[in-house]
Amino acid sequence: MAALARGLSRGMALADARAICPDLATRPADLAAEAAALASLRRWAARYAPMVGTDGPDGLIADISGVPHLFGGEADLRDDLQARLERAGLTAVSAIAGTRGAAHALARHGGGIVPDGHLGDGIGSLPITALRVDQETAEALSRVGLSRIADLIPLPRAPLARRFGTGLVLRLDQALGAQSEPVAATAEPPHFGVRMTLPEPIGLQSDVMAGLARLLDRLCHKLALHNMGARRLRLDLRRVDRGTTQVEIGLARPMRDPMRIAALFTKGVDEVDAGFGIDALRLSAPITEPLAPEQVGSHISLHLSEQRGGGPALRHEDALADLLSSLGNRIGFDRVLRLLPADSLIPERSFLLAPAAYSSAEPMPPRGGPNRPITLFPPEPVTEASGHPPRRFRWRRMRFTTHSAKGPERITPDWWLDDPAWRSGLRDYWRIETEQGPRLWLFVTPQDAAGQNWYVQGEFA
Amino acid sequence: MLKDGSGKRLAPAVGDAFALRPARVHEATGRGRRAFALFQAARHPGPLIWVLPAYLPELPMPWGLPKGVSARLHLLRPAGETDLLWCVEEALRAAPTGLVIAEPQQPLSLLAGRRLQLAAEAGRTTGLMLIRQDAGSNATETRWACEPQASPASDSTLHHWSLNKNKQGTLGHWVLNWDGASTAFHMVSETGERYQPAEPPL
């Protein structure tokens, strides 16, 4: 507002704005954050009307038919809205009109209220750009001397449509109410959270688990309705003294089976300090993923449950996912890993350690060439190496004598990646069988300026 | 125990000499213990769990593992010894795992060994602890000492595996040729006997 008063306007070049107002504070636009703020404002605005939708990147539109008398009239409603927004620190312009187009036009040109039946008078003095027509049409109209909406209203429609397109006529009709334009409220994304308040505080672990089981039933039913599965679940426990404790679990794959999820909560609930008692529980699923309905009860599950002497019939992969969940919840999901092939010839980068919860198994593609060792470790230099390949050497305080050597296999570094470990240039890999038994993977760096050194990087079966 | 007429003990049949008794925890020691673990991993169907401490520099290299093992392998890298034992117990107790391999860095106490045996029985899962020298527990079902051996021929990879402790059977030691790519192996006779004549009779 202060900027508008100093003569700045929207869409102005930054250099011009700086010239007018040298001490201007500028910030790059964060469109995502703005959209999120508008979405939360839209949720709040639902207190004024059942149907609230966004109107462009910077506006909200609400259908307040039948609502104003609850606030004591349209003027009181608008004052209430403005006062609350002002208290929240937001500068906003609002308008109430009989049609969506008129309200849109008026809100962007000063705001106000258009009484019923006076739409033409109310918005007639506004410029034509307020009608949501494109810049070209507005310019063409101003060239023939039509600059305000009131100039358009008495004109015959047919020539207007023929000359400037039907879009202009449609917008005009929408603003004047000849053409209906409903307010479509944006569909709310489903909220996966359930709560429960208790008449008497509880403190026993079994009671909390029983309450959790009821919440889980409701939450999982809701997840099933939307074909979703939870990846993280958070249980907030409110104590009588208003303190809250949280129990959070992660799941190795999306899931909505109450029994199996409850089992994962057992350990966390065990550690909760109940204080003088817990009188409210809240269960939410902050992270969810799509989970298609599955057929339950295959013959594997029957077989398993027979083998285990009854119990819940779990499918094989489900049981493995449960195991990975419980392991991940204790040692961290980044420590439960899977080996995945990677597209590189460099031994260290030829495979990936991916979290098992967020990846699926892939078989190794077939490869030719020399065998690879079964274990790989960062290169360790050998000492007292003599010969090429070394006839005898020391490694890890052990003496080795070469029995046979197979090689070399030359591996060149990726020139497009600057890997500090590969600064010594290309490597010649040898498979060295020692008299002492171990079969080692040694390499030498022929391009190393510091001299040719031998390193051990792996051990064969 | 099988006995022939003279009362001498017979060595168990060669084919299943290396089969680990199911639903028990076994131990392997020596320099070739990882090779032994992979040999067993290739022979056990189902998901595999390998627990090794996060600070250990050695990692299994998927391109060098026996066929089909790397896709089934789950690597757990807990931070400490307590977490490691907890992971092993949890994995043994879960039904779907085929084989649980772990590399504890400290000597296994009798208590820990017994707990692992109970977990293996509860989950009907086989476990294999790759222990350091003399760091095993007495509760183990079998203990194998595995050493790679230099081979005279260039295309053979010999392993010397000896069974040092066996709760329900005989001890023994074998030299075999296993190339680390599949479940197939060849027994190498200690005395160098051939199973068939050197030249086919004319």
Side-chain angles (χ1 to χ4, degrees):
Chain A
M1 276 295 160
L4 285 179
R6 297 272 300 266
L8 303 187
S9 67
R10 270 187 156 196
M12 195 177 233
L14 179 61
D16 297 347
R18 282 257 169 80
I20 295 171
C21 184
D23 53 346
L24 187 69
T26 57
R27 223 162 278 142
D30 185 353
L31 297 180
E34 281 173 18
L38 191 66
S40 59
L41 201 61
R42 186 180 63 79
R43 277 179 64 104
W44 169 79
R47 72 193 297 279
Y48 291 105
M51 304 282 255
V52 185
T54 51
D55 188 22
D58 59 349
L60 293 176
I61 184 94
D63 184 359
I64 56 163
S65 313
V67 173
H69 72 275
L70 300 173
F71 292 85
E74 286 179 357
D76 288 342
L77 190 149
R78 183 163 171 264
D79 290 346
D80 181 72
L81 174 75
Q82 288 285 1
R84 283 176 192 273
L85 286 174
E86 203 166 314
R87 214 181 305 153
L90 296 171
T91 312
V93 185
S94 59
I96 297 176
T99 63
R100 181 174 175 174
H104 175 97
L106 199 57
R108 277 155 186 79
H109 291 88
I113 298 176
V114 180
D116 267 352
H118 296 85
L119 270 176
D121 305 338
I123 62 168
S125 59
L126 302 181
I128 283 173
T129 46
L131 278 181
R132 295 177 282 171
V133 292
D134 51 24
Q135 195 65 31
E136 278 176 32
T137 317
E139 271 174 17
L141 283 165
S142 74
R143 225 172 288 135
V144 297
L146 302 167
S147 57
R148 293 178 309 125
I149 296 174
D151 300 338
L152 283 179
I153 295 171
L155 291 181
R157 292 300 158 94
L160 205 60
R162 210 159 47 233
R163 183 151 178 192
F164 298 103
T166 48
L168 173 70
V169 181
L170 176 71
R171 287 305 187 195
L172 187 63
D173 284 346
Q174 282 177 341
L176 296 176
Q179 187 89 32
S180 71
E181 187 183 6
V183 173
T186 326
E188 293 284 343
H191 173 67
F192 298 110
V194 287
R195 65 178 79 206
M196 173 193 258
T197 45
L198 304 165
E200 287 283 324
I202 56 172
L204 289 180
Q205 196 183 334
S206 57
D207 293 348
V208 176
M209 289 307 286
L212 175 69
R214 288 194 196 181
L215 289 180
L216 268 176
D217 276 342
R218 281 163 53 196
L219 185 70
C220 292
H221 180 67
K222 201 166 180 184
L223 285 167
L225 277 182
H226 292 96
N227 282 345
M228 298 291 266
R231 257 338 256 274
R232 281 202 89 75
L233 283 162
R234 187 190 302 145
L235 175 68
D236 298 276
L237 301 166
R238 198 185 67 197
R239 294 201 300 251
V240 186
D241 57 4
R242 298 280 153 185
T244 55
T245 47
Q246 276 190 357
V247 183
E248 198 163 327
I249 60 158
L251 299 167
R253 61 174 215 172
M255 203 190 280
R256 52 164 183 259
D257 183 351
M259 297 247 295
R260 287 161 57 202
I261 296 174
L264 292 170
F265 266 111
T266 318
K267 177 171 156 281
V269 170
D270 188 26
E271 290 164 1
V272 165
D273 175 19
F276 293 106
I278 291 162
D279 64 353
L281 293 88
R282 184 170 179 278
L283 181 70
S284 55
I287 301 176
T288 52
E289 278 178 15
L291 174 63
E294 284 175 353
Q295 184 177 358
V296 290
S298 59
H299 51 272
I300 304 171
S301 73
L302 290 176
H303 173 69
L304 253 182
S305 61
E306 267 171 30
Q307 204 180 31
R308 307 294 297 276
L314 283 183
R315 290 190 317 151
H316 215 260
E317 346 30 313
D318 287 348
L320 184 65
D322 282 358
L323 172 66
L324 295 181
S325 301
S326 66
L327 289 170
N329 277 317
R330 164 133 180 188
I331 64 172
F333 279 95
D334 53 337
R335 292 175 182 277
V336 183
L337 304 164
R338 210 193 281 280
L339 295 166
L340 297 181
D343 193 13
S344 172
L345 293 174
I346 306 293
E348 300 94 310
R349 287 200 291 272
S350 63
F351 64 98
L352 289 174
L353 284 175
Y358 300 98
S359 61
S360 54
E362 280 178 48
M364 302 304 281
R367 73 174 277 281
N371 287 337
R372 287 285 177 257
I374 55 166
T375 52
L376 193 77
F377 37 86
E380 296 173 12
V382 305
T383 51
E384 299 171 26
S386 62
H388 187 98
R391 276 192 304 281
R392 50 183 64 82
F393 54 93
R394 275 173 76 89
W395 171 61
R396 290 189 179 175
R397 295 200 227 158
M398 286 178 284
R399 284 182 186 286
F400 293 99
T401 322
T402 305
H403 178 267
S404 67
K406 212 186 270 181
E409 180 195 358
R410 178 159 288 190
I411 297 181
T412 51
D414 296 338
W415 51 263
W416 55 94
L417 283 175
D418 185 28
D419 188 348
W422 281 77
R423 291 239 172 95
S424 52
L426 49 84
R427 295 177 177 181
D428 283 341
Y429 279 89
W430 292 77
R431 177 195 159 114
I432 305 271
E433 292 193 22
T434 60
E435 295 281 1
Q436 286 75 14
R439 292 169 271 269
L440 302 172
W441 207 33
L442 268 73
F443 70 84
V444 67
T445 51
Q447 288 182 338
D448 197 356
Q452 292 197 9
N453 290 316
W454 287 89
Y455 299 88
V456 187
Q457 207 188 356
E459 215 170 332
F460 287 91
Chain B
M1 194 65 55
L2 290 173
K3 285 183 183 180
D4 63 1
S6 62
K8 224 172 114 186
R9 283 180 178 181
L10 284 182
V14 163
D16 58 357
F18 304 118
L20 297 178
R21 201 160 295 126
R24 303 293 289 170
V25 176
H26 307 261
E27 285 177 1
T29 178
R31 234 178 233 161
R33 55 186 192 266
R34 290 202 183 90
F36 182 74
L38 287 174
F39 176 78
Q40 294 295 349
R43 288 162 59 111
H44 281 79
L48 304 165
I49 304 235
W50 193 316
V51 193
L52 71 173
Y55 53 82
L56 215 63
E58 284 103 340
L59 277 178
M61 167 92 170
W63 297 102
L65 301 187
K67 214 173 183 175
V69 165
S70 73
R72 293 186 286 138
L73 189 64
H74 297 84
L75 220 57
L76 305 183
R77 306 187 74 192
E81 191 75 7
T82 320
D83 273 358
L84 183 139
L85 288 176
W86 181 86
C87 287
V88 178
E89 191 179 1
E90 196 77 357
L92 283 172
R93 223 171 257 287
T97 30
L99 180 68
V100 181
I101 303 166
E103 301 190 26
Q105 299 296 302
Q106 287 164 19
L108 281 175
S109 64
L110 186 60
L111 184 76
R114 186 75 194 124
R115 273 188 75 152
L116 296 185
Q117 287 292 11
L118 290 174
E121 275 167 30
R124 294 165 184 259
T125 313
T126 317
L128 180 63
M129 304 285 121
L130 306 184
I131 52 165
R132 298 178 159 232
Q133 194 68 46
D134 299 328
S137 103
N138 232 356
T140 179
E141 181 72 23
T142 57
R143 187 175 300 132
W144 299 76
C146 312
E147 294 291 340
Q149 212 175 56
S151 45
S154 67
D155 59 342
S156 59
T157 43
L158 293 190
H159 301 264
H160 181 246
W161 291 346
S162 54
L163 183 54
N164 288 345
K165 175 191 165 78
N166 191 353
K167 279 197 170 177
Q168 297 175 45
T170 48
L171 308 180
H173 57 96
W174 298 267
V175 175
L176 72 158
N177 177 13
W178 178 60
D179 61 354
S182 63
T183 55
F185 64 93
H186 300 285
M187 296 301 288
V188 179
S189 171
E190 285 273 280
T191 51
E193 283 172 348
R194 274 191 292 267
Y195 293 113
Q196 66 269 4
E199 288 174 12
L202 294 169

